Amino acid sequence: MSTALLTATTTTPTSYSPNKMDGSDEEHTGVGKGGGKSRRELPAGAVAILKAWLLSPEHFTHPYPTPQDQIMLMEKTGIDKKQLKNWFTNARRRIWKPMLKKQLEAGKLAAAGAPGGGGAVQGGPGMA
């Protein structure tokens, strides 16, 4: 009788695992995803229209749509104003800024490699 009692108290439930308490197992990988609204991507056609506007030569130097541009883009893409603003905020950070940086670096390299290029900039004003 004491053996049966000992066996019953020393066995651990199959559902218990000390690792499950620290949040490192597979069941906890989706934490935070079920709480609020799920992340939804914009339609590919809408993204193409927005990218075309952002990267067009007339808007590349100032990638901020005017209120009129916003209305036109919302009508063309079918997205609302909040989605449009969020897309442009992210696109300026993820698309536009890296492209601008590359263009500036390429321009600096071209200016430094050109004959007489970069001499006045390196010496500073009034140094000649």
Side-chain angles (χ1 to χ4, degrees), residues 39-40 42 50-51 54 63-64 82-98:
R39 183 182 163 276
R40 288 179 278 160
L42 295 179
L50 296 172
K51 273 187 183 178
L54 177 73
Y64 297 87
K82 185 176 181 179
Q83 289 173 306
L84 185 74
K85 286 183 173 250
N86 286 339
W87 189 89
F88 270 98
T89 299
N90 290 327
R92 283 189 292 266
R93 185 181 306 125
R94 297 174 186 165
I95 301 169
W96 179 77
K97 191 174 180 179

Side-chain angles (χ1 to χ4, degrees), residues 32-127:
K33 290 185 180 179
K37 272 191 169 180
S38 63
R39 183 182 163 276
R40 288 179 278 160
E41 293 182 11
L42 295 179
V47 173
I49 291 167
L50 296 172
K51 273 187 183 178
W53 189 96
L54 177 73
L55 301 176
S56 67
E58 60 189 292
H59 300 118
F60 190 79
T61 55
H62 186 76
Y64 297 87
T66 64
Q68 295 84 5
D69 287 334
Q70 290 177 14
I71 293 167
M72 179 269 299
L73 289 168
M74 287 187 293
E75 288 174 355
K76 275 184 152 181
T77 60
I79 64 175
D80 63 30
K81 191 168 189 167
K82 185 176 181 179
Q83 289 173 306
L84 185 74
K85 286 183 173 250
N86 286 339
W87 189 89
F88 270 98
T89 299
N90 290 327
R92 283 189 292 266
R93 185 181 306 125
R94 297 174 186 165
I95 301 169
W96 179 77
K97 191 174 180 179
M99 285 184 74
L100 185 66
K101 196 173 182 179
K102 280 183 183 177
Q103 287 184 0
L104 290 173
E105 287 173 358
K108 285 179 186 175
L109 292 174
V121 175
Q122 291 175 356
M127 298 294 281

